[in-house]
Amino acid sequence: MQLGLSVSDSDVSSFTPLVVLELADDTKAEAITWLLNRIRDKQQNGGAELLVNQLLFPAQDDQKPNPNVFLVGSTLQRLLNGAEDVGLFKEFQDGTMRGFTYANRESFKDFNGDGEGVLSDAECQYIIKHELDTLRAKNEEHVPGYPKLKLYPGKSVVRRLQSKGVLIQYFPLHNKEDLKRLSFSWYKKFKLSFQPLDDIRHYFGEGLALYFGFLEYFTFALVPMALIGIPYYLFDWEDYDKYVLFAVFNLVWSTVFLEVWKRCSATLAYGWGTLSRKKAFEEPRAGFHGALGFNPVTGREEPVYPSSKRQLRIYLVSVPFVLLCLYLSFYVMMVYFDMEFWAINIYNENPDIATSILLFVPSIIYAVVIEIMNLLYRFAAEFLTDWENHRLESSFQNHLVLKVLVFNFVNCFASLFYIAFVMQDMVLLRQSLATLLITSQILNQVMEAFLPYWLQRRRNKKVHKRMRRLMGDKELPLLGQVQLETEMNTYLGTFDDYLEQFLLFGYVSLFSCVYPLAAVLVVLNNITEVYSDAFKMCHVFKRPFSEPATNIGVWQLAFETMSIIAVVTNCALIGLSPQMKAYFPESDTQLILIVVTIEHVLLAFKFILAFVIPDVPKHIQVNLAKLEFDSLEALKKRRRALGR
Amino acid sequence: MQLGLSVSDSDVSSFTPLVVLELADDTKAEAITWLLNRIRDKQQNGGAELLVNQLLFPAQDDQKPNPNVFLVGSTLQRLLNGAEDVGLFKEFQDGTMRGFTYANRESFKDFNGDGEGVLSDAECQYIIKHELDTLRAKNEEHVPGYPKLKLYPGKSVVRRLQSKGVLIQYFPLHNKEDLKRLSFSWYKKFKLSFQPLDDIRHYFGEGLALYFGFLEYFTFALVPMALIGIPYYLFDWEDYDKYVLFAVFNLVWSTVFLEVWKRCSATLAYGWGTLSRKKAFEEPRAGFHGALGFNPVTGREEPVYPSSKRQLRIYLVSVPFVLLCLYLSFYVMMVYFDMEFWAINIYNENPDIATSILLFVPSIIYAVVIEIMNLLYRFAAEFLTDWENHRLESSFQNHLVLKVLVFNFVNCFASLFYIAFVMQDMVLLRQSLATLLITSQILNQVMEAFLPYWLQRRRNKKVHKRMRRLMGDKELPLLGQVQLETEMNTYLGTFDDYLEQFLLFGYVSLFSCVYPLAAVLVVLNNITEVYSDAFKMCHVFKRPFSEPATNIGVWQLAFETMSIIAVVTNCALIGLSPQMKAYFPESDTQLILIVVTIEHVLLAFKFILAFVIPDVPKHIQVNLAKLEFDSLEALKKRRRALGR
């Protein structure tokens, strides 16, 4: 089967392939012809006006890889037009960031001669993705060859093919040269330095670059805490004043650094042109379904699903389910503590080797159960959020994040809360905190980078072997690369990476006055985390599409909430400490009142601080105001030129 | 002295006068000629292109009123152009709100034949004010005749004349017909009904209409609290469960109604076209001074004042001054309590008529001192905020509001806090609360409406008498009206009105579980408040310029902060109540812990509620999104029409 132009290694030069499109291998020929025609068709006719070719495998291949792999590229002019469509902001000649327009293309900073240099690879791929996503059905009633794949005017073709499994995946290709350069400046040198955030953003887009920016910032922000924490560990400081001092410093510091991060991320986002960029209208998710109706905003025909029904599903099913899971998590924790006591009792009655080994059994079982519960819950949360039938990917993500966040928080910290506030055993708290922190760090690094890397290496070897068998020792750059990347795992977004940092922040801040060394451990963890995350992005996963982002979104809120909870827990811990109690031997009441007062003052201070520190640095505010002023003035001028 | 065209009662018909401009009576003739020419000059030449005439008094007037009073009007076409300049939003034919453009003027709903009906009186006056404010110096080095009144290209002429006292005032004229109709539908009928908010907005602008909208909403929102409060008073309920129930209801209710108000004000602002309207670039305040430099946003030459210097002034002078005043307020309060005890002691030693009168002396002295302190502080706060040299009126207002708010809060509530939490005397608290609430209500109504009305009436009579003496019994509609209004007091904005509601909200919510009747009193007060405020706007003060507003601004924050403080105080009051203490006879500790837990749960609940309730109603979100979508689509279409 060979449709239209095709790419083999000989005529690759006809265009630079940027995006790979993989259809199911039993896709009907007429559907493929139709899809390729729609993609190639002129924009006036409602096509995407992109270049697309089939990837041809040598005939003698006996392992039969999927033949329906297509490469998508574009002319430069189409990309520049597309850049205006998606509303990219680029650096203007005068150094400010302005919305890119094709008409003014020559006034942008990196524009030279033929237009190369303005758009990064990742931006080109993002534009192609946008054009593919907004390729809409005209008057076709269904996908040719598939009477059941109904279409209606305005429906995104790609979304429909995707939701029915005809389009298996589409992803951007790696650029081997750029990747080499990036990975060298990023993690292949052993000199400590800042991460090349601009290069990361160039290659992977703003969303991922912001994650790495946050990771770096968070790690640096923890260094002062770590430095102050070390003497506590070395000199075994146990005085109450010192702990109080440390806790207060921690609480204020965590507020300040979260506020300052907003300014940093605004600065980054301004420099990357995402801060002033207007959000494009999101297409409905591939899985969104509903009765056909009219979108009140665009007036287009599309499935509509009443938000009251969604609210009912959320509040009557999802919320009770989450609460039930939380209850279950508490229940498992209580069983763990029962087992723990039972093991200790047996050991105390009969202290020998067998029973001393038995002492570890409950912890191990509990740790395993927690992991299993997290996994099961994640599936359930994804299923439920999907069933809630959110129209937009962003609202789907927010609801998923919230569900997972609450459960993981409880699952990870419930036992610590129980030890701290019900058992009030500070020594055990310190031990459990250290154990949990260290094990979760080790587990994370293994599960997140080394395991996928090992699996990927096995797969690579298989592909390489097959290639070598096929073509002898000739290099097969494009064919081999596409085949390799098609089989790589898909990077599912920054969710898990942020979640990990969120939990680490919890370990550092919630009980900071009991275990000042936590910050040191997290700093050490994050230094390796930068390397393993960078490595996994470059070599373990498929290249992800660039995600424009102006901030870390819902995670900012999550971190801020954690820092508020930390105020409450730390104040309570200080109130419970025996050193503090010794100050008020005659009455608990006075002690509690003082602690509660301090807590309220700290909380008020946090809010005032958050209010006083502006979220966007002054010079960026000025630049944004200038942009707006200029566009207003231009409007006025145009109006006057029209003769009034 | 007679310059250019002039208005006497015979040729008023040449244009409708909308705004009055009063210059100092010793203004030099050349300055007046220059100013009038600039106002009349065509826009191409940098003029305001408005109509302006001098108000002429009959020659035989011996009392010599200020001769330099000018009337400003405009042609309809100029006003329609100005409406586009200031970015007014108007109702389109399809019922949505769209930015008014002169080119599309015929597609707007109320546009008929010659263009009447689109702009309300208040909007015309707002446009004229905007055009006057943005009348900029060209290459004049100083105001003609005043070598010391320096000008530079781009400086607002009106601001400069105002800051040096040459321009005494400019204000919009009342429209007697409309005013009669408005005051009839507003407060002259004794049937209970909603306020005619749209008419108020039509006549006074959005800022004031929002205040009255809030006043009405707040009053209605208090009705449930009042209804629940009445049986507590009637049946003398003193059980702790009932108080707890009432307090919890109050706290949740106050959160809900503040959140719902945001939705209401968004709905109002959308209907009035201010919600999607972009803020115009504010001119610097008249009093703003600094070295001549370049505005980084507009690139225009204007005074600049480094914000670091302003920050220093705020944090090193203003903040310590406010803290000192707060300390002073506390000190005065302590003196009051000392006097109170001293009076009680004397009475106890020697209970006769003289000493029983003495019992009231401390309270009276304290009330008078509080009023004096509030007044003095207000002057100091205005002086300090002026000295901080804010560039924009809005930032000046915010800093002033914050200063006055904090001090008034402490001054009004400090003694109540002291009685509640230090003396823990609930009976005295209830008494003091009732006394303070009732006296402040009576005082407010007198000071705010009746006193100014009485003064105004005296002034009116004088003017009428003079007019009659001059012209016999002939009516003098315009001349008399202008003279009357020139001498009326200026309405200083909604600040004091909001402040009053804020303090009333404090009385209702802070100690609600001790005095459930407070809501009833506030509802009664607000019903008369609507009438007295409406009356004072229509007959006591000069008509104010319309102020576009999308919400109640910093007051939303103030009310929300109050409702957070109310959670803390109410929980503490419940914890202190003897009924509650009886439940935990053995240990205070347990009681305190439970109260603190409940408080934290309530606070968390408040934040979640505020987070869950969307700030803008769904249908308005859809309309706003539609507007944005349409403008994006129009942009795309234009781009394609340009041939790409």
Side-chain angles (χ1 to χ4, degrees):
Chain A
M1 192 164 55
Q2 184 170 344
L3 299 152
L5 272 167
S6 66
V7 177
S8 67
D9 277 283
S10 55
D11 58 8
V12 168
S13 53
S14 63
F15 71 89
T16 323
L18 287 168
V19 171
V20 176
L21 214 74
E22 185 183 8
L23 301 180
D25 56 4
D26 57 353
T27 311
K28 300 219 169 106
E30 48 196 309
I32 297 181
T33 320
W34 168 76
L35 178 64
L36 297 192
N37 280 336
R38 288 301 316 275
I39 294 180
R40 285 183 191 133
D41 207 358
K42 288 228 180 297
Q43 279 192 285
Q44 287 107 299
N45 308 331
E49 214 172 331
L50 298 173
L51 309 172
V52 56
N53 285 334
Q54 193 168 19
L55 186 73
L56 283 189
F57 291 94
Q60 69 267 48
D61 195 348
D62 50 343
Q63 291 213 346
K64 294 228 173 195
N66 182 356
N68 291 329
V69 176
F70 299 88
L71 299 177
V72 185
S74 169
T75 63
L76 192 60
Q77 202 209 326
R78 177 75 189 86
L79 287 175
L80 292 176
N81 269 324
E84 187 173 346
D85 281 344
V86 299
L88 280 194
F89 267 64
K90 286 282 175 184
E91 194 173 352
F92 208 63
Q93 278 169 342
D94 64 356
T96 58
M97 304 299 299
R98 280 165 199 254
F100 182 82
T101 55
Y102 188 77
N104 295 334
R105 61 191 181 283
E106 313 219 329
S107 312
F108 285 84
K109 206 181 161 196
D110 297 314
F111 194 91
N112 40 27
D114 50 352
E116 297 270 4
V118 187
L119 299 175
S120 72
D121 242 33
E123 279 167 343
C124 292
Q125 289 165 337
Y126 175 74
I127 291 166
I128 288 181
K129 174 172 189 282
H130 176 260
E131 299 298 339
L132 286 177
D133 281 347
T134 53
L135 180 65
R136 295 174 193 290
K138 292 190 291 186
N139 38 16
E140 301 95 337
E141 297 209 328
H142 58 84
V143 176
Y146 293 88
K148 279 190 178 166
L149 276 183
K150 294 265 180 282
L151 287 174
Y152 46 86
K155 171 70 188 174
S156 162
V157 168
V158 164
R159 290 289 160 100
R160 172 48 43 98
L161 293 175
Q162 215 174 5
S163 69
K164 299 298 177 182
V166 176
L167 174 62
I168 298 177
Q169 59 175 349
Y170 62 122
F171 62 88
L173 269 178
H174 269 298
N175 180 327
K176 284 193 164 178
E177 278 304 301
D178 287 357
L179 185 62
K180 210 178 215 167
R181 222 173 306 129
L182 173 66
S183 56
F184 187 79
S185 70
W186 199 358
Y187 63 90
K188 278 200 175 153
K189 52 175 186 218
F190 287 93
K191 191 170 113 245
L192 259 182
S193 68
F194 293 105
Q195 292 176 85
L197 288 185
D198 284 328
D199 295 343
I200 301 172
R201 176 242 165 184
H202 231 73
Y203 196 83
F204 287 112
E206 291 83 16
L208 210 77
L210 263 184
Y211 163 69
F212 281 101
F214 179 72
L215 180 60
E216 180 176 288
Y217 175 83
F218 179 48
T219 311
F220 276 107
L222 285 177
V223 168
M225 288 196 202
L227 289 182
I228 299 180
I230 290 173
Y232 280 84
Y233 180 75
L234 291 181
F235 305 127
D236 247 348
W237 286 347
E238 297 266 328
D239 326 340
Y240 127 85
D241 339 17
K242 294 215 182 71
Y243 272 111
V244 169
L245 219 69
F246 185 71
V248 169
F249 170 77
N250 256 13
L251 298 175
V252 174
W253 178 235
S254 69
T255 310
V256 171
F257 95 68
L258 284 174
E259 283 302 311
V260 174
W261 165 250
K262 277 193 219 158
R263 296 165 64 89
C264 290
S265 83
T267 311
L268 286 175
Y270 177 76
W272 296 339
T274 49
L275 191 61
S276 29
R277 184 169 162 190
K278 281 210 182 102
K279 265 202 172 164
F281 283 90
E282 277 185 83
E283 291 292 306
R285 300 179 56 229
F288 178 66
H289 54 84
L292 217 57
F294 287 95
N295 180 327
V297 174
T298 63
R300 287 183 193 142
E301 206 175 20
E302 67 170 42
V304 267
Y305 187 76
S307 78
S308 56
K309 269 197 195 172
R310 187 177 305 124
Q311 299 284 337
L312 280 183
R313 288 188 174 185
I314 292 175
Y315 288 109
L316 294 186
V317 180
S318 297
V319 171
F321 175 79
V322 172
L323 292 178
L324 188 78
C325 287
L326 293 182
Y327 175 76
L328 208 76
S329 164
F330 276 115
Y331 189 79
V332 168
M333 183 193 75
M334 295 311 298
V335 171
Y336 156 65
F337 280 114
D338 282 349
M339 274 166 55
E340 185 85 46
F341 287 128
W342 167 78
I344 291 173
N345 279 342
I346 289 187
Y347 174 78
N348 284 345
E349 277 170 24
N350 214 346
D352 61 17
I353 300 170
T355 52
S356 75
I357 289 172
L358 193 69
L359 272 179
F360 289 96
V361 173
S363 300
I364 295 170
I365 294 180
Y366 185 53
V368 172
V369 169
I370 278 190
E371 282 297 311
I372 295 174
M373 278 166 67
N374 273 347
L375 265 178
L376 287 179
Y377 179 81
R378 181 69 175 272
F379 279 113
E382 275 173 20
F383 174 81
L384 264 183
T385 316
D386 194 52
W387 177 73
E388 287 167 11
N389 201 12
H390 293 275
R391 190 175 159 268
L392 299 180
E393 185 64 30
S394 58
S395 112
F396 174 85
Q397 285 296 338
N398 282 344
H399 278 86
L400 182 62
V401 167
L402 195 66
K403 282 196 192 72
V404 174
L405 215 60
V406 170
F407 185 77
N408 275 48
F409 179 84
V410 169
N411 223 8
C412 288
F413 297 120
S415 64
L416 295 178
F417 272 84
Y418 189 82
I419 297 173
F421 301 116
V422 181
M423 295 165 64
Q424 304 194 1
D425 182 342
M426 294 303 136
V427 179
L428 183 61
L429 178 61
R430 200 171 304 169
Q431 275 174 14
S432 308
L433 188 62
T435 321
L436 264 174
L437 184 54
I438 293 168
T439 26
S440 83
Q441 283 179 2
I442 294 172
L443 262 176
N444 255 317
Q445 304 266 4
V446 170
M447 296 284 289
E448 209 185 282
F450 297 111
L451 194 68
Y453 173 64
W454 179 73
L455 289 173
Q456 189 54 42
R457 248 186 41 170
R458 277 188 45 192
R459 229 178 284 141
N460 280 10
K461 271 189 192 152
K462 238 169 52 190
V463 172
H464 275 294
K465 223 164 71 186
R466 198 170 67 203
M467 285 291 148
R468 213 168 299 130
R469 190 163 35 77
L470 266 176
M471 313 289 276
D473 274 343
K474 270 194 291 176
E475 264 203 72
L476 254 182
L478 189 62
L479 196 55
Q481 189 197 345
V482 173
Q483 250 203 322
L484 261 179
E485 292 187 18
T486 311
E487 288 181 14
M488 274 173 155
N489 284 327
T490 305
Y491 178 66
L492 294 171
T494 45
F495 184 98
D496 288 294
D497 298 313
Y498 278 119
L499 183 61
E500 189 189 338
Q501 295 302 317
F502 173 73
L503 295 177
L504 289 179
F505 181 56
Y507 287 119
V508 174
S509 58
L510 286 181
F511 308 99
S512 64
C513 58
V514 170
Y515 189 53
L517 208 64
V520 180
L521 291 175
V522 173
V523 168
L524 290 177
N525 173 75
N526 276 5
I527 291 172
T528 60
E529 180 87 23
V530 168
Y531 287 95
S532 69
D533 278 355
F535 178 78
K536 112 187 153 186
M537 287 316 305
C538 292
H539 292 289
V540 178
F541 289 112
K542 276 194 199 91
R543 183 175 184 176
F545 275 112
S546 135
E547 236 8 284
T550 50
N551 50 47
I552 60 173
V554 67
W555 293 103
Q556 181 82 37
L557 191 69
F559 274 79
E560 281 168 9
T561 310
M562 181 72 95
S563 82
I564 289 174
I565 298 175
V567 173
V568 181
T569 53
N570 278 296
C571 285
L573 280 179
I574 288 173
L576 285 174
S577 68
Q579 296 91 341
M580 188 76 176
K581 276 184 179 154
Y583 273 69
F584 299 92
E586 69 294 345
S587 99
D588 271 359
T589 316
Q590 216 180 341
L591 168 65
I592 296 176
L593 284 180
I594 287 177
V595 169
V596 169
T597 311
I598 292 175
E599 187 221 335
H600 281 76
V601 170
L602 278 174
L603 283 176
F605 184 67
K606 267 180 84 73
F607 281 101
I608 292 171
L609 214 58
F611 190 77
V612 166
I613 300 177
D615 286 357
V616 176
K618 185 85 185 179
H619 69 280
I620 289 179
Q621 277 177 28
V622 167
N623 278 340
L624 292 178
K626 196 172 165 180
L627 189 70
E628 210 176 317
F629 178 79
D630 283 355
S631 76
L632 274 180
E633 288 292 297
L635 208 74
K636 267 190 204 162
K637 219 179 262 173
R638 200 161 59 211
R639 229 185 293 143
R640 272 182 204 147
L642 283 173
R644 284 183 289 112
Chain B
M1 191 163 56
Q2 183 168 348
L3 300 150
L5 272 167
S6 64
V7 177
S8 66
D9 276 282
S10 54
D11 58 8
V12 168
S13 54
S14 63
F15 71 90
T16 323
L18 288 167
V19 172
V20 176
L21 215 74
E22 184 182 9
L23 300 181
D25 56 4
D26 57 352
T27 312
K28 300 216 170 110
E30 49 195 309
I32 297 179
T33 320
W34 168 77
L35 178 65
L36 295 191
N37 281 335
R38 289 302 316 273
I39 293 179
R40 286 182 191 134
D41 207 358
K42 288 227 182 297
Q43 278 192 288
Q44 287 107 299
N45 308 333
E49 212 171 330
L50 298 174
L51 310 173
V52 57
N53 285 336
Q54 192 167 18
L55 186 75
L56 283 190
F57 292 94
Q60 69 265 49
D61 194 348
D62 50 342
Q63 289 213 347
K64 293 228 173 196
N66 183 354
N68 292 329
V69 176
F70 300 88
L71 298 176
V72 185
S74 170
T75 63
L76 191 61
Q77 201 208 326
R78 177 74 190 90
L79 286 174
L80 291 175
N81 270 326
E84 187 174 348
D85 281 344
V86 299
L88 281 194
F89 267 64
K90 286 280 173 186
E91 195 172 354
F92 208 62
Q93 278 168 343
D94 65 356
T96 58
M97 304 299 299
R98 280 166 199 255
F100 182 82
T101 57
Y102 188 77
N104 294 335
R105 61 192 181 282
E106 312 220 328
S107 313
F108 284 84
K109 208 179 159 196
D110 298 313
F111 194 92
N112 40 26
D114 51 349
E116 296 272 3
V118 188
L119 299 176
S120 72
D121 241 34
E123 280 167 341
C124 293
Q125 290 166 336
Y126 175 74
I127 291 166
I128 289 180
K129 174 173 190 281
H130 175 261
E131 300 298 340
L132 287 178
D133 279 347
T134 54
L135 180 66
R136 294 174 194 292
K138 292 192 290 187
N139 38 16
E140 301 95 337
E141 297 208 331
H142 58 83
V143 176
Y146 293 88
K148 278 190 180 168
L149 276 182
K150 293 264 178 282
L151 288 171
Y152 46 87
K155 172 69 187 174
S156 160
V157 168
V158 165
R159 290 290 160 100
R160 171 50 40 101
L161 293 175
Q162 214 174 4
S163 69
K164 297 298 175 183
V166 177
L167 175 62
I168 297 176
Q169 59 176 348
Y170 61 122
F171 62 90
L173 268 178
H174 270 298
N175 179 326
K176 284 193 165 177
E177 277 304 301
D178 289 356
L179 186 63
K180 211 177 214 170
R181 223 175 304 130
L182 173 67
S183 56
F184 188 78
S185 70
W186 198 0
Y187 63 90
K188 280 202 175 151
K189 54 179 185 216
F190 286 94
K191 190 168 115 265
L192 257 183
S193 68
F194 292 103
Q195 291 175 86
L197 289 185
D198 283 327
D199 296 342
I200 301 172
R201 176 242 165 185
H202 232 72
Y203 197 81
F204 287 113
E206 292 82 18
L208 211 76
L210 262 183
Y211 163 69
F212 281 102
F214 179 74
L215 180 59
E216 178 177 289
Y217 176 85
F218 180 49
T219 310
F220 276 107
L222 285 178
V223 168
M225 287 197 202
L227 288 182
I228 300 181
I230 290 174
Y232 280 83
Y233 180 75
L234 290 181
F235 306 127
D236 247 349
W237 286 346
E238 296 267 327
D239 325 342
Y240 126 84
D241 336 21
K242 293 216 183 70
Y243 272 111
V244 169
L245 219 68
F246 185 72
V248 169
F249 169 78
N250 256 13
L251 298 175
V252 173
W253 178 238
S254 68
T255 310
V256 171
F257 94 69
L258 284 175
E259 283 301 311
V260 173
W261 165 249
K262 277 193 219 161
R263 295 165 66 90
C264 289
S265 83
T267 311
L268 286 176
Y270 177 76
W272 296 339
T274 48
L275 191 61
S276 28
R277 182 168 164 191
K278 282 211 183 103
K279 263 201 173 164
F281 283 89
E282 277 185 82
E283 291 291 308
R285 301 178 53 228
F288 177 68
H289 54 85
L292 217 57
F294 287 94
N295 180 328
V297 173
T298 61
R300 287 183 193 141
E301 205 174 20
E302 67 170 43
V304 268
Y305 187 77
S307 77
S308 56
K309 267 196 196 171
R310 187 178 306 123
Q311 300 284 338
L312 281 183
R313 286 186 175 186
I314 292 175
Y315 288 109
L316 294 187
V317 180
S318 296
V319 172
F321 174 78
V322 172
L323 292 178
L324 189 77
C325 287
L326 294 182
Y327 174 77
L328 208 75
S329 164
F330 276 114
Y331 190 80
V332 169
M333 183 192 77
M334 296 310 299
V335 171
Y336 155 64
F337 281 114
D338 282 349
M339 275 164 54
E340 186 85 47
F341 287 129
W342 166 80
I344 290 174
N345 280 340
I346 290 186
Y347 175 76
N348 286 344
E349 276 170 23
N350 215 344
D352 60 19
I353 300 171
T355 52
S356 76
I357 291 172
L358 193 68
L359 272 180
F360 289 96
V361 173
S363 299
I364 295 169
I365 295 180
Y366 185 52
V368 172
V369 169
I370 278 191
E371 281 299 311
I372 294 173
M373 278 167 70
N374 273 347
L375 266 177
L376 286 180
Y377 179 80
R378 181 68 175 270
F379 279 113
E382 274 173 21
F383 174 80
L384 265 183
T385 317
D386 194 53
W387 178 72
E388 286 166 15
N389 201 12
H390 294 274
R391 189 174 158 269
L392 299 180
E393 186 64 29
S394 59
S395 114
F396 173 86
Q397 285 296 338
N398 283 344
H399 278 85
L400 182 62
V401 167
L402 196 67
K403 282 195 194 72
V404 175
L405 216 59
V406 169
F407 185 77
N408 274 48
F409 180 84
V410 169
N411 224 7
C412 287
F413 297 120
S415 64
L416 295 177
F417 272 85
Y418 189 83
I419 296 172
F421 301 115
V422 181
M423 295 164 66
Q424 304 194 1
D425 183 342
M426 293 305 136
V427 180
L428 184 59
L429 177 61
R430 200 170 305 168
Q431 276 173 14
S432 309
L433 189 61
T435 320
L436 265 176
L437 184 54
I438 293 167
T439 25
S440 83
Q441 283 179 4
I442 293 171
L443 261 177
N444 255 316
Q445 304 264 5
V446 171
M447 295 286 288
E448 212 183 279
F450 297 111
L451 194 67
Y453 173 64
W454 180 73
L455 291 174
Q456 187 56 40
R457 252 194 28 181
R458 277 189 44 192
R459 228 176 285 140
N460 281 9
K461 271 189 193 148
K462 236 167 55 189
V463 172
H464 275 293
K465 222 164 74 187
R466 197 171 66 204
M467 286 292 149
R468 211 168 303 129
R469 187 162 39 75
L470 266 176
M471 314 287 276
D473 274 342
K474 270 193 291 175
E475 262 201 74
L476 254 182
L478 189 63
L479 195 56
Q481 188 195 347
V482 173
Q483 249 203 321
L484 261 181
E485 292 186 20
T486 312
E487 286 180 18
M488 275 176 155
N489 283 329
T490 305
Y491 178 65
L492 293 171
T494 47
F495 184 98
D496 287 294
D497 298 312
Y498 278 118
L499 183 62
E500 188 189 341
Q501 294 302 317
F502 173 75
L503 294 176
L504 289 179
F505 182 57
Y507 287 120
V508 173
S509 58
L510 286 180
F511 307 97
S512 64
C513 58
V514 170
Y515 190 51
L517 209 63
V520 181
L521 292 176
V522 173
V523 167
L524 290 178
N525 173 75
N526 276 6
I527 290 172
T528 57
E529 179 86 23
V530 169
Y531 288 96
S532 68
D533 279 355
F535 178 78
K536 109 185 155 191
M537 288 315 305
C538 292
H539 292 288
V540 179
F541 288 113
K542 273 193 201 94
R543 182 175 185 176
F545 274 112
S546 138
E547 231 12 281
T550 50
N551 50 47
I552 60 172
V554 68
W555 293 102
Q556 181 81 36
L557 191 70
F559 274 80
E560 281 168 7
T561 310
M562 181 72 95
S563 84
I564 289 172
I565 297 174
V567 172
V568 181
T569 52
N570 277 295
C571 285
L573 280 179
I574 289 172
L576 285 173
S577 68
Q579 297 92 340
M580 187 77 176
K581 275 186 179 153
Y583 273 69
F584 299 91
E586 69 292 347
S587 98
D588 273 358
T589 317
Q590 218 179 339
L591 169 65
I592 295 176
L593 284 180
I594 287 178
V595 169
V596 169
T597 312
I598 292 175
E599 187 222 334
H600 281 76
V601 170
L602 277 174
L603 283 176
F605 183 69
K606 267 180 85 73
F607 280 102
I608 293 171
L609 214 59
F611 190 76
V612 166
I613 300 177
D615 285 356
V616 177
K618 184 87 185 177
H619 69 279
I620 289 178
Q621 277 177 29
V622 166
N623 278 340
L624 292 178
K626 197 171 163 177
L627 189 71
E628 208 175 320
F629 178 79
D630 283 355
S631 76
L632 273 181
E633 288 293 296
L635 208 74
K636 267 189 203 163
K637 222 179 259 171
R638 199 161 61 211
R639 229 185 291 143
R640 272 181 205 147
L642 283 173
R644 283 180 289 113

